[in-house]
Amino acid sequence: KDNLAAAGKLLREAKELGADIACLPENFSFIGLKDADKLQVAEADGEGPIQAFLRDTARQLNLWILGGTTVITGDSATRVANASLLIDSAGRRVARYDKIHLFDVAIPGRDEQYLESTHVTPGRKVVIADTPVGRLGLSVCYDMRFPELYRELVSQGAEWLAMPAAFTVPTGRAHWETLLRARAIENLCYVVAPAQSGIHSSGRETYGDTLIVDYWGQVLARRPTGSGVITADIDLVKQAETRARFPALNNRQLGTRSPAMVPAAAVPSAAVPSATVPA
């Protein structure tokens, strides 16, 4: 309840700053004392207090919300889905993405190990959805190390990519910004990465450094640590013009198919709304 109250406060702040869509980090509502604790708070798909909070808050604020991740029950009593839920401003769920790449690693140089697959079932579907600020490709945290996922999202028309995360400190210090900017540059695509920050009650420490990166790899906004809100405009017109003038996506020879490129002249020139990320 405390976490939902904190998220609600940040979402209201995002709305007051003029956001059309706000993104929360991975595990925004719950990080257990131990990994198995997620089984106790898992909700049936479409039901439960966390999902009700997302729907009600979106409707009350007239705000689209990407709910980081929420633990959703599956077919197994011992494994759940780590699901990113996209809610529109009327409180309707538009999309659900289940995290595909699970964090099964030992952190180099530390006595720190994670086996996310012990209690989480990996997703199998690439998910893209229309939003007020363009077509969104969904992903979560560890996914960002697998560029083929983002190639497929862009091939399906993604104009911005969400990467809610709870990164470890050693890997965050080494790779966080580099990975985010790389995904943005190679896909000529905006990247929005709301990140957990600080030491949690379990003793786990997350890296933070919430970022919004543009299609050229420039950091538009960041919050290094702590709770708060950052905002940036997603300018689809400039992005489309850059993709047309610098057609790296169309020049690909290997891997997934090239996306259907939209000529810059065909892109509406209306005012572009903002994407806002609560850290």
Side-chain angles (χ1 to χ4, degrees):
K1 290 181 179 179
D2 290 343
N3 289 333
L4 295 182
K9 180 179 179 181
L10 291 168
L11 291 168
R12 285 191 294 274
E13 182 179 345
K15 179 64 178 181
E16 290 168 359
L17 289 170
D20 292 284
I21 184 166
C23 305
L24 293 162
E26 184 181 23
N27 304 325
F28 75 94
S29 62
F30 180 81
I31 294 179
L33 294 176
K34 56 185 185 297
D35 191 55
D37 289 347
K38 60 170 58 79
L39 301 176
Q40 306 305 314
V41 299
E43 299 182 351
D45 191 23
E47 303 176 9
I50 299 169
Q51 293 171 87
F53 163 81
L54 292 171
R55 290 193 301 267
D56 293 345
T57 305
R59 187 167 50 250
Q60 291 165 9
L61 296 177
N62 190 32
L63 176 69
W64 281 62
I65 298 172
L66 180 66
T69 61
T70 298
V71 182
I72 304 294
T73 56
D75 296 332
S76 168
T78 58
R79 294 209 297 175
V80 294
N82 195 18
S84 192
L85 306 177
L86 179 63
I87 313 296
D88 73 11
S89 57
R92 297 171 299 214
R93 192 173 85 187
V94 174
R96 168 182 165 178
Y97 166 72
D98 291 0
K99 185 177 182 181
I100 291 175
H101 300 98
L102 302 184
F103 194 51
D104 289 358
V105 302
I107 304 300
R110 286 201 179 192
D111 184 20
E112 193 173 347
Q113 180 172 308
Y114 298 90
L115 291 172
E116 189 175 16
S117 64
T118 302
H119 300 295
V120 177
T121 301
R124 299 299 181 193
K125 294 181 180 179
V126 172
V127 177
I128 193 167
D130 290 318
T131 78
V133 292
R135 301 204 77 198
L136 166 63
L138 282 83
S139 65
V140 173
C141 200
Y142 192 49
D143 280 333
M144 71 178 65
R145 291 185 180 274
F146 302 90
E148 62 273 16
L149 169 61
Y150 302 98
R151 285 303 203 202
E152 182 58 32
L153 287 167
V154 171
S155 292
Q156 294 187 25
E159 294 167 308
W160 64 289
L161 306 167
M163 304 183 195
F167 240 61
T168 70
V169 170
T171 57
R173 190 177 292 124
H175 301 143
W176 171 255
E177 181 176 338
T178 300
L179 286 168
L180 293 173
R181 296 179 71 181
R183 297 296 83 86
I185 292 166
E186 69 197 7
N187 293 295
L188 292 168
C189 207
Y190 284 92
V191 167
V192 176
Q196 290 276 5
S197 171
I199 299 175
H200 306 275
S201 55
S202 63
R204 177 182 176 182
E205 184 178 6
T206 47
Y207 182 66
D209 200 21
T210 287
L211 293 177
I212 304 175
V213 184
D214 77 3
Y215 51 84
W216 203 242
Q218 299 179 87
V219 175
L220 300 179
R222 82 188 316 151
R223 185 178 185 92
T225 59
S227 297
V229 177
I230 62 172
T231 67
D233 290 333
I234 288 182
D235 190 332
L236 299 181
V237 175
K238 288 185 178 179
Q239 178 178 271
E241 290 174 347
T242 300
R243 285 181 170 186
R245 293 172 181 168
F246 191 80
L249 295 173
N250 280 350
N251 295 154
R252 284 178 290 156
Q253 300 299 315
L254 302 174
T256 57
R257 63 193 180 280
S258 296
M261 297 295 287
V262 180
V267 179
S269 59
V272 179
S274 301
T276 298
V277 186

